[in-house]
Amino acid sequence: MTDSRSLDADGPAAVVEPPVIAALGGDGRLNRGGLAWSIHQGGRDPFIILVTIYIFMPYVASVLVGDPVRGQEMISRWDQIIGWIVVVTAPFLGASIDKLGPRKGWLGLVVGLMVPMIAALWWAKPGGPLSLTSLAFLVIGARVLFVYAEVLHNSLLIRAAGLGAAHKASGLALSLGNLFSVVALAFTAWAFALPGKVDWAFVPASPLFGLDPATHEPERVVALMAAALLALGSIPLFLFTPDAPKTGVPTWKAWADGAAELGRMLKTVRRYRDAVVYLVSRMFFVDGMNGVLIYAGVYAVGVMKWGALEMLAFGILLSIFAVFGGFLARWMDAGLGPKAALRIEISMTILGLVALLGMAPDRILFFWTYDAAAHAPLWNGPVFRHLPDLVFVGVSFVNAVFITAQYASSRTMLTRITPAEQTGAFFGVYALSGVATAWLAPTLVNLGTRLTGTQQGGFATINLLLAVGLVALFFVRGGGREVAATAQVG
């Protein structure tokens, strides 16, 4: 589930390139520069999967804070700050990037800051040198820089792969991000979490490199792995991906021109009534989808009382199942139209979220109690041995598939209701809408958690965003099976 990020490869930095890149069409084959561009995302995405969602941040909530409820409240407060910084800064970076000229220097600076910040999370341990305040600075800084890295990286897509192979590089990048994350999760489970807990011939007898589970080193080591993958995955890009030429525009003027560009994009888009309504709808439902992803790990640790091994297995399985979302979206977009597909995808996520609210180790879907002492384990494996665990995982599978499908269908939807000649402006505002409310889900989760004193109360507020987005979608005309000949101007 790697599409929880603020901007994607179809964002403004990828579509508002100057006209000169028309000469970079290529022959549709993925060249060395395009492959290097894709590998960078493969190295970058494990930070989100290993650190933000499944392993490190749930460890922070349950161990460093010591209370999953207070941990969810604290992490959502950090996410609020991240959202505010991103919404104020990232759109201007995206709009200014063509005027800045070469990007690899800027990207090198961002990656150079991110790698040590992520690696420093290794020292976040009980009684260790990092206070929660220092940890907050590192997490917030790395997450904000991650968004900047995305914008800069996306802006190199066409130059890296050419117009003819851009879609291949983009798809490969997403696949590599998922693959590297799954491999990293699986290696962590095999090398550090399973040893000493199972008597399997292919599993080491004790954790590799002498890592000590008692000091939570298997959970903390994912920070070192994420930092190393980011550094290694960036090397091919800096060596082989072509950079943009110098523009001769001073940095301060590039930023000023970027602000003006944002204004022009908004003026263009607001003349198209259905596109405006859809983008407003998307601001809410995509923020809700991102919220489900970001807080899934913290919620599972606190509510289901899972440990590091369960979270590793959870992350591996969900990352694999999320791949099916892309295929589902392609089928539904073609057979039903992207608007109907989005309605189904949002509705299924709402139902899945409601189902998760009714889960606990001793309760299944609100109404069925379960006594683990009265029921033999369903299997002899090291994880998910009881029915509530398997039901929670199954519901999460459904969420993973439909959330991933939503990311694909939402892009298709925009192409059905906007004029082809205005693609740059619309996808620029599309990317802006993806960050404009990035602070809203964390705010609601924080408020709900504080008011109810429960993780369920905080997690439930995400459904408000999904519901608002779903209702607003009903007021959008177009988006059916047939591509509209013209966009509705309102």
Side-chain angles (χ1 to χ4, degrees):
M1 302 201 300
T2 60
D3 279 347
S4 62
R5 299 173 298 279
S6 302
L7 301 175
D8 54 41
D10 293 314
V15 297
V16 296
E17 289 270 9
V20 70
I21 65 164
L24 300 175
D27 58 6
R29 291 181 297 181
L30 191 59
N31 57 22
R32 184 175 66 174
L35 178 60
W37 183 93
S38 301
I39 291 173
H40 172 76
Q41 183 162 340
R44 188 186 68 207
D45 285 0
F47 168 67
I48 294 295
I49 300 297
L50 274 69
V51 174
T52 303
I53 299 179
Y54 292 116
I55 308 301
F56 185 80
M57 294 310 292
Y59 154 74
V60 170
S62 60
V63 176
L64 292 187
V65 179
D67 176 4
V69 176
R70 288 198 304 114
Q72 180 171 290
E73 180 186 339
M74 182 190 71
I75 291 171
S76 62
R77 188 163 60 246
W78 295 357
D79 289 340
Q80 282 179 276
I81 298 171
I82 294 166
W84 290 331
I85 296 172
V86 166
V87 73
V88 170
T89 58
F92 293 98
L93 175 60
S96 307
I97 206 151
D98 293 325
K99 289 83 177 173
L100 289 171
R103 297 91 194 265
K104 288 165 71 171
W106 292 98
L107 184 58
L109 174 62
V110 171
V111 171
L113 291 172
M114 285 182 67
V115 168
M117 292 177 78
I118 296 171
L121 300 178
W122 162 257
W123 284 277
K125 59 182 179 179
L130 283 182
S131 66
L132 284 176
T133 301
S134 301
L135 179 62
F137 173 81
L138 291 172
V139 170
I140 292 170
R143 287 272 303 278
V144 170
L145 289 171
F146 183 94
V147 176
Y148 297 164
E150 279 190 303
V151 176
L152 292 161
H153 176 244
N154 291 344
S155 73
L156 290 168
L157 171 59
I158 303 299
R159 292 191 175 278
L163 291 171
H167 66 291
K168 295 180 180 180
S170 180
L172 178 61
L174 291 170
S175 299
L176 289 177
N178 218 52
L179 175 63
F180 286 18
S181 299
V182 169
V183 170
L185 286 168
F187 176 79
T188 304
W190 172 79
F192 309 125
L194 283 171
K197 296 183 179 178
V198 296
D199 187 20
W200 295 346
F202 64 90
V203 174
S206 59
L208 297 187
F209 312 120
L211 294 192
D212 184 5
T215 58
H216 302 280
E217 289 182 339
E219 292 100 309
R220 294 188 285 121
V221 76
V222 298
L224 298 178
M225 294 171 62
L229 286 169
L230 173 59
L232 293 174
S234 300
I235 293 173
L237 181 141
F238 292 120
L239 291 177
F240 303 120
T241 297
D243 204 350
K246 294 181 179 180
T247 62
V249 179
T251 301
W252 65 269
K253 189 175 188 305
W255 285 99
D257 290 346
E261 178 71 24
L262 274 179
R264 285 192 293 271
M265 287 193 299
L266 292 171
K267 287 180 181 178
T268 297
V269 169
R270 72 183 184 184
R271 295 188 292 114
Y272 297 86
R273 176 259 181 198
D274 291 302
V276 171
V277 176
Y278 169 65
L279 290 170
V280 171
S281 166
R282 181 181 177 272
M283 282 195 300
F284 288 96
F285 72 70
V286 80
D287 200 39
M289 298 282 188
N290 290 342
V292 176
L293 295 180
I294 293 298
Y295 298 108
V298 173
Y299 186 79
V301 165
V303 171
M304 299 304 296
K305 313 303 180 187
W306 288 348
L309 185 56
E310 286 85 359
M311 292 307 300
L312 283 163
F314 189 54
I316 292 169
L317 292 171
L318 260 64
S319 295
I320 293 172
F321 267 81
V323 174
F324 294 103
F327 296 100
L328 177 66
R330 183 163 58 182
W331 175 77
M332 290 199 300
D333 288 351
L336 305 174
K339 184 166 71 174
L342 280 171
R343 289 173 178 172
I344 294 171
E345 290 152 6
I346 298 169
S347 298
M348 290 301 296
T349 305
I350 290 174
L351 292 176
L353 184 52
V354 170
L356 291 181
L357 295 174
M359 294 301 303
D362 59 355
R363 187 176 68 253
I364 300 173
L365 300 177
F366 294 100
F367 303 111
W368 292 277
T369 58
Y370 182 88
D371 183 2
H375 295 82
L378 299 176
W379 73 306
N380 292 323
V383 295
F384 311 141
R385 302 177 67 200
H386 293 280
L387 186 58
D389 296 317
L390 291 179
V391 174
F392 190 98
V393 171
V395 173
S396 298
F397 285 170
V398 174
N399 275 351
V401 170
F402 282 101
I403 289 174
T404 303
Q406 167 272 146
Y407 287 117
S409 296
S410 62
R411 283 196 294 261
T412 306
M413 177 66 181
L414 188 63
T415 65
R416 298 289 180 90
I417 60 173
T418 57
E421 66 273 11
Q422 298 289 350
T423 299
F426 279 102
F427 270 101
V429 178
Y430 174 91
L432 174 60
S433 73
V435 299
T437 54
W439 52 272
L440 190 52
T443 299
L444 290 176
V445 170
N446 182 268
L447 180 63
T449 305
R450 285 193 292 111
L451 290 179
T452 65
T454 66
Q455 287 187 271
Q456 289 88 342
F459 209 49
T461 61
I462 297 173
N463 261 343
L464 295 175
L465 297 173
L466 296 173
V468 170
L470 178 62
V471 170
L473 195 59
F474 280 87
F475 294 91
V476 180
R477 296 169 293 185
R481 293 177 58 187
E482 299 295 328
V483 179
T486 59
Q488 296 288 341
V489 180

